[in-house]
């Protein structure tokens, strides 16, 4: 099925500044490996965590007044789990987003979709 180990090795991340010197992907690998959490990171568990964290993000906007400080951290949680899931599935986030953007551009050509929120089959 899916490999449950994180193959990258090296020194662990100790500070925010260290993260900028390494890729975020490597920093996440180190963080997870240091805590031996990869055993819990099945695709199913990661997908559930994305949904749970997305609910917490939505809660920041629940009553109309945005709690941007909390939203920042909840969004980071959602993005973190998305990156972990992409990695577990052997997918590169930049590549899959670029591929999806290409498909979406075809579905929503500028001349038909500009300024409209209609679904592509109603343009």
């Amino acid at each position: 099925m899916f490999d449950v180990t994180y193959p990258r090795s090296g020194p662990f991340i100790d500070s925010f500044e260290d993260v900028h010197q390494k890729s975020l992907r490597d920093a996440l690998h180190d963080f997870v490996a240091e805590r031996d959490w990869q055993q819990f990171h099945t695709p199913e568990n990661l997908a559930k965590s994305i949904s749970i964290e997305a609910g917490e993000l939505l809660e920041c906007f629940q009553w109309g007044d945005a709690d941007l400080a909390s939203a920042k951290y909840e969004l980071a949680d959602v993005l973190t789990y998305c990156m972990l899931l992409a990695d577990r599935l052997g997918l590169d986030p930049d590549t899959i987003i670029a591929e999806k953007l290409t498909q979406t551009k075809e579905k929503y050509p500028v001349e038909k979709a500009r300024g409209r929120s209609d679904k592509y089959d109603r343009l």
Side-chain angles (χ1 to χ4, degrees):
M1 190 161 161
F2 296 100
D3 182 15
V4 295
T5 61
Y6 287 93
R8 292 183 179 81
S9 62
F12 294 120
I13 301 301
D14 294 321
S15 70
F16 181 72
E17 290 77 26
D18 289 340
V19 171
H20 290 287
Q21 293 175 4
K22 297 180 82 168
S23 76
L24 280 176
R25 197 173 201 176
D26 288 340
L28 282 172
H29 275 277
D30 290 349
F31 179 84
V32 170
E34 183 178 41
R35 289 155 182 80
D36 193 25
W37 286 348
Q38 64 274 11
Q39 62 184 313
F40 308 115
H41 288 180
T42 64
E44 179 184 2
N45 286 346
L46 292 169
K48 288 176 187 177
S49 295
I50 291 167
S51 182
I52 291 164
E53 295 298 339
E56 292 178 11
L57 175 60
L58 186 57
E59 204 172 25
C60 297
F61 302 95
Q62 185 172 8
W63 302 113
D65 293 328
D67 179 359
L68 296 180
S70 295
K72 172 183 169 181
Y73 293 106
E74 296 304 337
L75 180 57
D77 288 341
V78 172
L79 294 170
T80 296
Y81 281 117
C82 287
M83 289 182 70
L84 290 170
L85 180 58
D87 191 63
R88 178 47 48 104
L89 297 175
L91 303 170
D92 176 64
D94 290 336
T95 301
I96 63 174
I97 290 170
E99 288 172 355
K100 182 63 177 180
L101 182 57
T102 298
Q103 290 175 351
T104 304
K105 283 180 177 182
E106 291 172 8
K107 282 184 174 179
Y108 295 93
V110 173
E111 60 277 0
K112 290 183 178 181
R114 184 171 174 80
R116 298 178 64 181
S117 63
D118 300 325
K119 190 173 175 184
Y120 66 91
D121 61 351
R122 295 184 179 194
L123 292 175

